[in-house]
Each structure stands twice: as C-alpha cells, then as structure tokens.
Amino acid sequence: MSDAFTTRTLRITTGNRETVHDLTGACASFLREVATGRDGLLNVFTPHATTGVAILETGAGSDDDLLAALHTLLPADDRWQHRHGSPGHGRDHVLPALVPPHATIPVVSGEMALGTWQSVCLVDTNKDNPERQVRLSFLG
C-alpha cells in the first residue's frame, strides 16, 4: 500500500473505572511520523462495543462533566436488557450510539486542525474491560 494511507493501533489501559482518556498527544505523534507536512484526514476508531471517541476540552472539568452527563442519560442500574457483566453494564453497550466509536479530523500541513481547546479522547464507561485498542489511520 502506498504511503497515502497509513494505520497504527494503539493499546490503551483504561483501568477499572470510567474514564475519558486523552489521545491528542498520541495522534500528534503518529502524524509527525506519517504525515510530514501533508494535508489529509486522520480517522480515530475504537473497535469495541462499549467505547466511543469524543472531541472535547479536557483539563477544565469537561471530561468529568461528560461522564456525569452519561450517568444521567445512561444510569448504571438494572433497567437494561443487556445484563452480562457488572451491574448496569447494558448502558455501556448503548454508549456508542451517543458517543460514536470514531472521529475524523482534518490534517493541515501534518497537524490536526483542531480548535484551541479541542482534544481527541477515548470515552470508556465499561469497568469490566481495562484494555482497549484505538486505530489511527491517516489518508493524505
């Protein structure tokens, strides 16, 4: 395959708690290696039924606000028909409908064209699976 398309899989340990894991640095590092000065698209994809990819501000409380909002929208209780795993795990399988498992970011001159406060994040509410994968693909 030509160097116009390059992909890499990251392995992320999210642990046994709900988390918003910042991927921005890993995405930037990947682009420094594969997109040197080129324009294109970065696709970020997580191949799991219980994770999502979000673009949001981190470090100012928005990541905690997102998790709190997900608790309001998707309570971890026994209302879910999908019942294996820890109590309320069915909510984790609904998460990707609200926080999709992918994002596509424009790349200009080898760098993500994100807004000043935007970060690329893995959102994981599933406490039962601490090991995750994120696939980064650059097309340019």
Side-chain angles (χ1 to χ4, degrees), residues 31-40 107-111 138 140:
L31 290 173
R32 278 192 298 276
E33 291 179 35
V34 303
T36 313
R38 294 177 14 224
D39 293 350
V107 175
V108 178
S109 298
E111 295 183 6
F138 175 69

Side-chain angles (χ1 to χ4, degrees), residues 73-83 88-91 94:
L73 293 170
L74 305 172
D77 58 23
D78 64 357
R79 73 183 70 201
W80 307 101
Q81 293 182 39
H82 187 108
R83 295 186 185 265
H89 175 63
R91 73 183 284 259
V94 176

Side-chain angles (χ1 to χ4, degrees), residues 18-19 43 50-51 91:
E18 297 177 0
T19 189
N43 184 262
T50 59
T51 59
R91 73 183 284 259

